[in-house]
Amino acid sequence: MKLFSYSPVDKASSFRTKTLDPSPPSTVINRARKREMGKEMESPKEQSSYTVEQLVAVNPFNPEILPDLENYVNEQVTSQTYSLDANLCLLRLYQFEPERMNTHIVARILLKALMAMPAPDFSLCLFLIPERVQMEEQFKTLIVLSHYLETGRFQQFWDEAAKNRHILEAVPGFEQAIQAYASHLLSLSYQKVPRSVLAEAVNMDGASLDKFIEHQVANSGWIVAKEDGSIVLPQNEFNHPELKKNTGENVSLEHIARIFPILG
């Protein structure tokens, strides 16, 4: 597998973007002189190989890894993978190097974070983005979309998404990720969901909705009710509260008896 390469640099050039090999940036050869606590750790001739994740762990505040992290965001988009740690590291570096911020990359990071819902990744990323950047139109749109998703307002989400397809289509798999999130949210709220509610949540109808349901029946344990075509969802502790474990019931009388003398 090809690796990225860096040439040794002096202090004057350490903040300039390097020309990178077009190979995928999942692996990187860092030929820059490593520094720790301001002291040189190895000579320019010494070289060490790192993955992007290792670069983030070893030297997260080094601006020289910024181009690699930007390339890694693009790789996540094309390969439909995801690394929250790498993306947060890049946003932190942008805070120290605001003149080097690439808003195109930032938008992609936020889209990938939305795709990770119900994880709170979007809020974590947004916290590291300056308010002046958040006020740009594309970011205001993404913030509105995140609000609709967090509150389960799927009809409003899909209506707003339709007006901004040029933003959302930049990341393959976005629509499918949101449909998966919608299905997850419904499974927490319903024991039996009407077909019309499901259609609104996943923005599908007709044959495409039938295919989606068939996939969920085969892979997620959904059942289609014969009488009305509604969807019976698998039981869990949220849509069937009686399944939730009550930890209080697991405390033995013997343990409770030991507490009373201490309280007395």
Side-chain angles (χ1 to χ4, degrees), residues 7 19 37-38 40 48 56 61 82 85 89 93 135 144 161 165 173 187 193-194 201 209 228 231 238 247 250 252:
S7 298
T19 301
M37 301 296 291
E40 200 167 83
S48 299
V56 170
F61 298 105
Y82 183 54
D85 289 341
C89 180
L93 285 175
M135 295 307 296
V144 169
R165 298 197 68 85
S187 73
V193 59
L209 180 60
D228 57 4
I231 312 300
F238 298 100
T247 55
N250 296 327
S252 67

Side-chain angles (χ1 to χ4, degrees), residues 244-257:
K244 188 171 184 178
K245 295 181 179 179
N246 189 338
T247 55
E249 296 178 353
N250 296 327
V251 179
S252 67
L253 291 176
E254 180 183 355
H255 284 87
I256 295 176

